[in-house]
């Protein structure tokens, strides 16, 4: 009967032993190393069998210790592409500690863990034997601020919340969207306003109403109610009315563009009172009374 091929574990143990046998640790060190590796793999096997979670950490620590003695301790981690995420956050998410051995690093698992971080869009991990790991990340870009339930979050173009709002100068000029579901539709309103820079500069925030349509809150306090369909046409109509009629500088509180064949406005209280007085005066004049 032909001999069975050696398992990966046996080959690994043999390599450890050979490497140590020629070192200053000698045969005794190799024997200790073999015991440590066997213990590590045994504990790790318990976890693979669905048993105690703590055994995984113990087993991996033992295996890492053995591999480190053999010269496979991670001594250098090259990071690139990070801007918002701190290096220590990347190392922690990747699971790299001072005792981690490169032999037991699973690059695919590490990449998956890194891409679960809010700021990181994609990551790549490369093992450079015997003791270096290269990690490159691509971060999401801060696209807008999303206000919901009294909290403000920085979100990416796809609506992913990536950080709580802070006074970071990079966030000051970001557009603001408000309301449940606004993060899912942030791209449509921000891009539409970007195509109308004169109007964009007057908008303080865009509020998603009932997750169906947008209302623009202008810096001067006017609310512009946009239709659920045909939003971009309504925005161009608003620009034209402001250019030709100075609509957004008038004494009004609401501009309603939800109906395709008309524009409705609501006067401010002061303007409405003045208009009522004017109408009363005109009515008296028609009856022959004092103007």
């Amino acid at each position: 009967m032909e001999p069975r091929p050696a398992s990966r574990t046996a080959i690994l143990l043999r390599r450890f032993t050979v490497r140590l046998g020629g070192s200053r640790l000698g045969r005794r060190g190799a024997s200790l190393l073999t015991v440590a590796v066997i213990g590590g793999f045994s504990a790790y096997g318990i976890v693979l069998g669905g048993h105690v979670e703590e055994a995984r950490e113990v087993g991996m620590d033992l295996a890492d210790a053995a591999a480190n003695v053999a010269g496979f301790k991670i001594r250098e981690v090259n990071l690139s592409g990070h801007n918002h995420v701190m290096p220590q956050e990347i190392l922690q998410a990747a699971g790299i500690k001072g005792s981690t051995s490169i032999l037991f690093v699973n690059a695919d698992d590490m990449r998956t863990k890194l891409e679960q971080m809010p700021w990181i869009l994609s990551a790549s991990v490369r093992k450079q034997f015997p003791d270096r790991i290269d990690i490159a990340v691509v971060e999401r870009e801060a696209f807008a601020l999303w206000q919901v339930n009294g909290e403000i979050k920085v979100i990416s173009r796809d609506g992913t919340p990536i950080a709580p709002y802070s006074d970071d100068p990079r966030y000051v000029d970001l557009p603001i969207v408000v309301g449940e579901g606004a993060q899912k539709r942030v791209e449509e309103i921000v891009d539409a306003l970007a195509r109308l820079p004169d109007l964009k500069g007057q908008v303080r925030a865009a509020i998603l109403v009932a997750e169906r349509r947008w209302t623009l809150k202008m810096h001067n306090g006017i609310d512009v109610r946009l239709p659920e369909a045909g939003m971009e046409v309504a925005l161009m109509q608003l620009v034209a009315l402001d250019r030709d009629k100075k609509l957004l500088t008038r004494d009004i509180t609401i501009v309603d563009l939800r109906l395709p064949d008309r524009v409705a406005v609501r006067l401010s209280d002061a303007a409405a009172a003045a208009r009522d007085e004017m109408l009363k005066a005109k009515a008296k004049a028609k009856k022959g009374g004092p103007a």
Side-chain angles (χ1 to χ4, degrees):
M1 186 173 60
E2 294 183 1
R4 295 177 59 186
S7 67
R8 293 179 61 187
T9 303
I11 294 173
L12 185 59
L13 288 173
R14 189 180 305 160
R15 288 177 180 172
F16 286 163
T17 304
V18 169
R19 183 160 186 161
L20 272 179
S23 70
R24 287 179 297 175
L25 292 177
R27 295 183 178 179
R28 182 179 179 184
S31 300
L32 291 174
L33 174 58
T34 301
V35 172
V37 174
I38 291 173
F41 276 106
S42 298
Y44 190 53
I46 293 174
V47 177
L48 295 180
H51 298 288
V52 184
E53 171 61 21
E54 288 78 1
R56 185 189 69 84
E57 296 183 9
V58 173
M60 289 309 302
D61 286 345
L62 287 171
D64 278 336
N68 290 343
V69 171
F72 293 101
K73 180 179 181 179
I74 296 176
R75 301 187 182 279
E76 182 180 356
V77 179
N78 289 337
L79 301 179
S80 63
H82 58 292
N83 182 23
H84 293 84
V85 185
M86 301 298 291
Q88 57 268 29
E89 293 176 315
I90 295 177
L91 295 179
Q92 182 177 4
I96 298 177
K97 303 180 292 185
S99 60
T100 303
S101 163
I102 195 170
L103 283 179
F104 301 107
V105 166
N106 186 311
D108 289 336
D109 288 349
M110 188 175 290
R111 175 181 53 79
T112 299
K113 291 176 182 178
L114 290 171
E115 290 178 351
Q116 290 173 350
M117 299 180 72
W119 269 110
I120 294 182
L121 177 64
S122 63
S124 66
V125 178
R126 297 185 64 185
K127 298 164 66 172
Q128 305 287 357
F129 284 93
D131 57 6
R132 194 184 90 200
I133 288 184
D134 296 338
I135 298 176
V137 300
V138 176
E139 291 186 340
R140 290 183 169 91
E141 293 186 10
F143 184 68
L145 302 178
W146 173 40
Q147 180 178 330
V148 64
N149 298 326
E151 297 182 1
I152 301 178
K153 303 174 183 179
V154 182
I155 59 176
S156 62
R157 175 176 278 275
D158 64 3
T160 300
I162 51 182
Y165 176 71
S166 68
D167 293 332
D168 191 314
R170 292 172 291 189
Y171 304 155
V172 172
D173 295 326
L174 291 177
I176 303 172
V177 295
V178 181
E180 290 287 347
Q183 83 284 12
K184 299 176 183 177
R185 298 177 56 179
V186 62
E187 193 172 13
E188 69 180 36
I189 188 66
V190 171
D191 285 350
L193 290 173
R195 290 188 282 270
L196 302 168
D198 290 341
L199 177 62
K200 176 186 175 182
Q202 301 182 64
V203 176
R204 182 163 65 88
I207 304 169
L208 188 63
V209 180
E211 299 190 41
R212 294 187 297 106
R213 64 168 192 84
W214 295 98
T215 288
L216 302 181
K217 177 73 71 173
M218 313 304 284
H219 283 294
N220 61 6
I222 295 176
D223 285 355
V224 178
R225 296 174 178 175
L226 299 175
E228 185 174 354
M231 178 188 69
E232 295 204 34
V233 174
L235 287 173
M236 290 187 287
Q237 183 183 18
L238 179 63
V239 170
L241 286 170
D242 191 43
R243 181 186 63 240
D244 300 336
K245 307 292 185 181
K246 307 300 180 185
L247 181 64
L248 295 178
T249 58
R250 297 194 176 191
D251 197 3
I252 58 178
T253 59
I254 293 175
V255 177
D256 195 336
L257 300 171
R258 289 177 294 175
L259 297 177
D261 59 342
R262 73 191 69 177
V263 177
V265 298
R266 179 182 297 175
L267 299 173
S268 68
D269 291 343
R275 182 175 182 276
D276 288 344
E277 289 298 322
M278 181 187 68
L279 292 176
K280 289 178 182 178
K282 285 185 177 181
K284 287 181 180 180
K286 284 184 178 181
K287 292 180 179 180

